[in-house]
Amino acid sequence: MKKVIPYILAIGLALFVLLPFLWMFSTAVKPLKETFSWPPYLIPHDWSLENFPISVQRSNAIRALLVSSIYTVGCIVLYLIVASLAGYGFAKYKFPGDSILFLLVLGTVIIPIEVIIAPLFMLLKSLGWVNTFHGMILPRVVEPFGIFLLRQHFKTIPDDFLDAARIDGCSEFGILWKVVLPLSLPPLTVTGLFMFLWRWNELLWPLVVGSGEAQRTIQVAIALFQHEWFVEWNYLMALCVIAIIPILILFILLQRYFIQGVVMSGLKG
Amino acid sequence: MIKLVSWKTQRRIVPYIFIAPAMLLLAIFTFYPIISSIRMSLCEWDIIGTPRFIGLRNYATTLSDMTFRHALLVTFLFVGVTVPVNVTLALLTAILLNGRLALRNLFRSIIFFPAFTSMVAIGMLWKYMYSTDYGIINYIITLFGGHPKDWLANPAWAPWSLMLTSVWYGFGWNMVIFLAGLQNIPDQYYEAAAIDGASKWAAFRFITLPLLKPISLFVVVMAVIYAFRMFDLVYVMTMGGPGTSTMVLMMYFYRQAFIMLRMGQGSAVALILFVVVFFFTVLQLRFFKGEVSY
């Protein structure tokens, strides 16, 4: 009996987490009338995948997915470049002001987006950058997380490696590109992955600076879907499934890095 | 010789080139907005027109606004309930899944997953599940002989419904941090305790809990910050309603700044929220200081 109790608890918790997701997936393949049925049931009587194309068409979700992808990938690529450069600069050089500047970077951890979102919006407005990709992306590619993570990792790479490359005539940027970065794939993956998760799932920022019809991310499209349509839950859940699928795939492939990132935020933060 | 000198100068400039993009972005998109946020909070400014300096009046208006005071209360309720529930559940789940259990990695993955999904999608899902007339939750309640409730439509229930969803969403994240902490505790401690005849409870009380303290502090501090800043779920599920029953501070901020377009007052609200969160963070760190010495 004592051996069974942990299993009962674990299965109970897993079902508590899993059942809502099953409900989402099942609703996404139900015809509309089954979403209002009483009693509700998990297994659809008459399931089909046609909700996906219909919901995508109606809410202009193709466009929204494209916007989300450009926004997310743009942020990841720029962030990896910016954070690698800065992390390397802070890890491998001593220069006047280095510790103060690094503290300044870390200090932005305590500045949440809402404190600066109103002035940022006004700034973008005066530049004519509202509802543009560069307006959405550029303000969101500075996060201390990756700079700190990469700096910690770069510090562990022996200076001998760098000096050997220098003697071979490698430039300082060449060293970072050819020697250091190839040795840093795990922290780069964690950095890119978390940038992906933050930007793909983000609501407030894209809602404020990109709520124009053509500039909505998938999250904004879902959030505004309910205001524009009488709520057809099957279509809405289909959109939600579409928004979650990329994360599910990455979660299955890269789970190790998900855990690393979370633990890193916990143990070092 | 010439080569050496130029190399030295190069080495002096190079680090600044490395950090320049990050510092430039920070200066334009973080530091400058912080200053202009403070400036804006001292002005009357609805998007069109020019800002007019009005001193601290935005702060006075905000602090005396009944809706703001209510939002402050609702936010404290959210923080006061979700943080202890979330952290306790996360700790107990971590202990459970740290034990020898077949398939424990699968259990961990399942419980861990929601924290990475979009709050927008999760909010929508739960909104559907909470629906009064055809919601799955009401159906399950009637199966057990209970009465259906209007989870999100009733001001008395709506905050609690949101809190349940928020705990469901977030406890897996904290569980993973606790698991990492538990795995850092050497087995020898427990073996020594067992040799000394300590009960399992005593081992938990005098080994596990004290050694988890630094991590718990971190988890609690972060959970409090996130709870204070809760927005996505509220925006998607209730928009602060019904009435103002789920009007958390972030929702109030969004309403003032981006629906009513009072940029000046919006900035004041954001800064007040920042000060509140900062105050509570420092308070917790002070409170636990000295206790964390492992």
Side-chain angles (χ1 to χ4, degrees):
Chain A
M1 191 59 205
K2 255 200 141 175
K3 276 201 158 164
V4 182
I5 291 172
Y7 283 97
I8 294 175
L9 291 173
I11 291 171
L13 279 168
L15 284 179
F16 172 58
V17 171
L18 214 50
L19 280 178
F21 282 113
L22 291 181
W23 191 240
M24 177 191 278
F25 282 87
S26 118
T27 308
V29 297
K30 278 178 179 173
L32 184 62
K33 68 176 194 310
E34 287 190 38
T35 64
F36 294 104
S37 72
W38 190 268
Y41 39 83
L42 186 63
I43 313 290
H45 294 174
D46 187 17
W47 72 278
S48 90
L49 292 176
E50 69 182 10
N51 291 343
F52 290 96
I54 294 176
S55 65
V56 161
Q57 227 166 31
R58 278 208 185 173
S59 54
N60 210 355
I62 293 265
R63 172 84 204 175
L65 285 167
L66 196 70
V67 172
S68 270
S69 307
I70 296 174
Y71 173 55
T72 309
V73 172
C75 282
I76 293 173
V77 171
L78 278 179
Y79 186 52
L80 286 179
I81 295 171
V82 170
S84 304
L85 289 171
Y88 186 68
F90 283 122
K92 286 299 180 190
Y93 296 94
K94 287 205 84 52
F95 50 94
D98 54 356
S99 51
I100 289 177
L101 289 174
F102 187 61
L103 270 181
L104 216 56
V105 173
L106 283 193
T108 59
V109 158
I110 63 162
I111 307 295
I113 181 71
E114 61 267 18
V115 172
I116 53 174
I117 197 168
L120 269 179
F121 175 74
M122 298 313 286
L123 178 66
L124 295 195
K125 213 164 123 62
S126 64
L127 293 170
W129 283 13
V130 176
N131 285 319
T132 65
F133 281 114
H134 47 284
M136 284 170 83
I137 293 172
L138 282 176
R140 297 303 274 152
V141 291
V142 270
E143 294 275 354
F145 176 79
I147 299 177
F148 179 74
L149 190 70
L150 290 169
R151 172 181 172 268
Q152 296 306 93
H153 176 81
F154 293 156
K155 270 180 175 291
T156 65
I157 296 175
D159 285 336
D160 298 349
F161 284 26
L162 315 185
D163 288 334
R166 271 186 200 116
I167 290 165
D168 288 346
C170 204
S171 72
E172 297 296 303
F173 293 97
I175 294 171
L176 172 63
W177 181 247
K178 288 189 201 133
V179 180
V180 174
L181 288 186
L183 290 171
S184 312
L185 292 181
L188 285 171
T189 311
V190 173
T191 305
L193 177 68
F194 273 71
M195 202 61 182
F196 169 81
L197 294 169
W198 289 327
R199 294 303 166 257
W200 183 265
N201 290 331
E202 193 169 37
L203 176 65
L204 182 60
W205 174 252
L207 182 68
V208 167
V209 299
S211 61
E213 187 89 51
Q215 206 63 24
R216 287 179 188 167
T217 63
I218 186 70
Q219 311 297 345
V220 176
I222 293 174
L224 297 180
F225 184 89
Q226 55 175 348
H227 305 306
E228 289 171 9
W229 303 91
F230 150 74
V231 185
E232 292 156 309
W233 290 108
N234 52 342
Y235 297 138
L236 191 53
M237 288 302 119
L239 284 184
C240 292
V241 168
I242 293 173
I244 285 182
I245 286 284
I247 300 169
L248 183 62
I249 293 171
L250 283 178
F251 188 73
I252 291 166
L253 294 178
L254 300 173
Q255 207 185 123
R256 198 155 57 92
Y257 295 105
F258 278 77
I259 294 173
Q260 261 178 32
V262 172
V263 170
M264 222 96 74
S265 82
L267 295 181
K268 291 184 179 157
Chain B
M1 198 62 199
I2 293 163
K3 181 96 184 167
L4 190 68
V5 171
S6 77
W7 183 76
K8 267 190 169 169
T9 351
Q10 194 198 340
R11 271 211 87 167
R12 209 170 299 148
I13 305 168
V14 154
Y16 292 105
I17 299 176
F18 276 122
I19 65 166
M23 297 319 287
L24 207 67
L25 285 168
L26 271 180
I28 302 172
F29 297 118
T30 304
F31 298 131
Y32 167 71
I34 292 174
I35 293 163
S36 66
S37 170
I38 295 168
R39 216 180 44 204
M40 273 167 72
S41 76
L42 302 174
C43 293
E44 187 181 352
W45 194 9
D46 32 3
I47 280 188
I48 28 173
T50 44
R52 192 168 62 87
F53 182 80
I54 54 167
L56 292 174
R57 217 175 310 154
N58 279 327
Y59 292 91
T61 319
T62 305
L63 293 174
S64 60
D65 181 359
M66 289 314 284
T67 314
F68 171 81
R69 293 186 189 179
H70 180 73
L72 202 58
L73 276 180
V74 173
T75 309
F76 281 130
L77 178 73
F78 269 87
V79 175
V81 174
T82 58
V83 173
V85 174
N86 179 323
V87 173
T88 312
L89 188 60
L91 177 60
L92 295 177
T93 312
I95 290 166
L96 176 72
L97 296 182
N98 195 41
R100 282 193 192 83
L101 213 64
L103 294 179
R104 73 176 180 184
N105 281 335
L106 180 67
F107 286 127
R108 286 179 189 177
S109 301
I110 290 173
I111 292 166
F112 187 35
F113 179 65
F116 299 104
T117 54
S118 93
M119 276 215 191
V120 174
I122 295 306
M124 284 297 178
L125 168 65
W126 279 81
K127 192 176 179 181
Y128 176 44
M129 297 200 306
Y130 278 135
S131 92
T132 311
D133 299 324
Y134 43 83
I136 184 81
I137 292 178
N138 270 344
Y139 175 65
I140 293 171
I141 285 178
T142 54
L143 278 188
F144 289 96
H147 288 287
K149 295 187 169 45
D150 38 5
W151 296 97
L152 291 176
N154 184 335
W157 284 98
W160 302 96
S161 311
L162 278 181
M163 286 189 256
L164 174 62
T165 305
S166 139
V167 168
W168 178 88
Y169 179 87
F171 83 101
W173 176 285
N174 292 330
M175 173 199 74
V176 168
I177 301 180
F178 278 130
L179 269 173
L182 287 172
Q183 283 155 7
N184 275 345
I185 301 175
D187 281 337
Q188 292 98 302
Y189 289 12
Y190 294 106
E191 284 157 16
I195 291 168
D196 290 346
S199 69
K200 275 209 159 155
W201 166 249
F204 174 73
R205 172 74 186 75
F206 295 106
I207 299 174
T208 312
L209 275 190
L211 288 177
L212 277 184
K213 217 168 221 167
I215 275 202
S216 312
L217 170 64
F218 173 80
V219 167
V220 170
V221 167
M222 292 310 290
V224 167
I225 292 175
Y226 279 116
F228 265 116
R229 298 177 54 206
M230 176 169 179
F231 174 73
D232 295 12
L233 283 181
V234 183
Y235 182 85
V236 168
M237 292 172 77
T238 63
M239 273 288 193
T244 53
S245 59
T246 58
M247 179 74 76
V248 290
L249 278 174
M250 277 297 291
M251 195 65 220
Y252 178 79
F253 159 73
Y254 181 81
R255 199 186 68 161
Q256 298 308 107
F258 295 107
I259 297 178
M260 306 222 188
L261 299 177
R262 293 184 191 144
M263 286 294 170
Q265 202 213 338
S267 297
V269 174
L271 286 167
I272 293 172
L273 175 61
F274 172 70
V275 170
V276 170
V277 174
F278 191 77
F279 171 78
F280 274 92
T281 306
V282 172
L283 196 72
Q284 292 170 80
L285 293 176
R286 275 282 157 81
F287 186 71
F288 284 105
K289 204 182 163 193
E291 288 197 33
V292 179
S293 54
Y294 299 94

